[in-house]
Amino acid sequence: MTASLGHARLVLLLMFTSSICYSDQLSSSQAQNLLRIQGLLNYPSELSSWNNNTDFCNTEPTPSVTVICYEDSITQLHIIGERGAPPLPRNFSIESFLTTLVRLPNIKVLTLVSLGMRGQLPSKISRLGSLEILNISSNFFHGAIPQEVSSLRNLRTLILDENLFQDRVPDGISKLSLLAVLSVRKNKLNGSLPESLGKLENLRVLDLSHNKLSGEVPDIRSLRHLQVLELEDNLLGPQFPNIGSNTLVTLILRKNKFMSGIPEKVNTFNHLQRLDISFNRFIGRFQSSLLSLPSITYLNIEGNKFTGMLSETMSCNPQLELVDLTANLLTGRLPSCLHYEPKTRIVSYARNCLVGEDESQHPVSFCRNEALAVGIVPDHHKSKQHSKTALALSMSAGIVGVTIVAVIVFLTVRRVHTKRMVKSPSTRLIQENASVGYTSKFLQDARYISQAMKLGALGVPAYRNFSLKDIEDATNNFDTSTLLSEGSYNQMYKGELRDGSLIAIRCHHMNRRDNSQSYMNHLEILSKLRHQHLVSALGHCFDYHLDDSSVSRIFLVFEYAPNGTLRDWISERRDNQMLTWSQRIAAAIGVAKGIQFLHSGIVPGVFSNKLKITDILLDLNLVAKISSHNLPLLTEYVGKVGSQISSIGSKEVDSTARIASQEKSDIYDVGVILLEIIVGKHINENDEVDIFRHQLEASTTAAIAAPNCVVDPGVQDSYGDESLKTVMQICSRVAILSKYSTSTFTNDCLIAADFR
């Protein structure tokens, strides 16, 4: 995926980020250094125009040459030749060239691509202490990568692609604590990878493909921001890399010596778009769930020994563009969702043992025999047929064959017996009102959805990772006609996906000082807040700064509610229409169920949501959905951030009294919404709440017709007396903040519904 991140494109874009010089004239010494560089390279042709009268800081940038200055110093230098440029003459001295560069002490971005530069990279590279981005790809540098590179402590991007570097990846690379991109593809690196790679905690891109690296991939579980891991065409293995990050977008292990199975953890990589493990020696059962990962678009397992029976009823992600199952040991029938669609999807599955397909397939016996040959124990229900095959082979093989069969039978029986003895782990149940008694570490790792509340998420689309192109296509490249609202740090857009479904997209602009781990935690929480009465998030997308690869924008994608707010249909009479009494009570029940989920359907609960009737949206079927939760990324740039969420991991869990107080606060807000539902008038101030509440209380003690004076005239005569009475009692109980839980509140609303 270095290609997908576009290192070359990144460099080109960096060249055009600025053509402004912040100084009237570059110092004469630095100008002379540029002229020395001209004399050493004499290529590309754009350099020939440089002379003593050139105003370098104000020279128009070109795709080949760009100089960027700040005050009286050069901060960026980009020189790019044509791809495939031949080596410079043998008298070219990389030592002299680097000596000249060192005389540019404030240079932060250095791009020297396709210039035919040759020789060993000198150790004096360490003197470029201000460097943040170094790209010297597509040259002829050879020898070892100097250990002195580790002295460039400000380095965020290091690209050494397509050179002739040999020897090992330097162990000192771990000292580059800010490094976000490390790409050394298409070189001649060899030996094992250093364990210190696992210390680069800010690494987002690691591309070591097309080298001669061997041995195990070191433990990289600590690389929690890693999005791209490309190790193609090496000699690595045999164990699958130990990856801890579920932020991976691209995982390429093609053409190596991996021979284990795929860990179950890979099924939790919800952001994974490209998975290529082809041409290895993987064995074991193919995990068909990989076909339905939320973000997967490219899956290639060609040339392994995966077994398993496919079924026509298996599901797959509709966004899949390529699936290659060629040359494995798969049986059964190809899933119907993978049948060839020439315009949208490429599917290859030859040289398996699938039935009912036109492509070249082996007989089923071939896959069974091959599975036995590589030591894959067959499924228990097929053991009889496999035993017959093994027995026939053993008879022809004599005493040695009999011994092999005996060993196979022994291992099979022992494995089956072990499987029967192992008990399935019990399902972890979370009590719905759990709020105290947990350590801060548990809360940091929690966010479990209770079993009872999972039913509330039925029908909500799966959470997935969107690409920036998806967002741009959905909004017609952020056309102004799609802008719904705008704040200081965010904008809300209306969009339409390729399948025709409407979405709402909130764009948050991030500061470089923002903690990436913090907003990753928020997104993890957000992805689990899924309920039919919440405006659930459908996914997110990151956009990045080009200079240091930090996150510049986060796009949050939500369900789109086309029927506006609940107030539009209660007190503002949307399009001269309004909700009936039954529809109003249904909306109140929906809001109550949504709040109940936020309080007790997830551990720890989400409290202090400060709901207003304008925060309740209605979908196409007039189902009420809460659109404002107490989570930082859902508000005006960390606007309504509650202490409960922001303190997770830094403080112990709130006391029982505080949780109860926060719960009552939300119940009170829902009571105010219910009050506006009854009277059909705007209620914005606490004084107005008291006035209408006193009117309701007075009406309940007066004659039976008295309540009609308070209730919205638009729904009079459409409700039952008991229903109205119950609703009024709910408002009274909420107003005095009695011992009233969300579950009790919801039940009372349901009772009112029964009487309507």
Side-chain angles (χ1 to χ4, degrees), residues 423-437:
K423 295 182 179 180
S424 299
S426 58
T427 303
R428 189 168 195 169
L429 298 178
I430 306 298
Q431 293 186 355
E432 295 207 21
N433 290 304
S435 58
V436 294

Side-chain angles (χ1 to χ4, degrees), residues 280-298:
N280 279 280
R281 304 172 186 176
F282 283 110
I283 62 174
R285 179 168 293 277
F286 169 62
Q287 299 174 26
S288 58
S289 53
L290 296 174
L291 294 167
S292 57
L293 284 175
S295 304
I296 196 74
T297 61
Y298 183 105

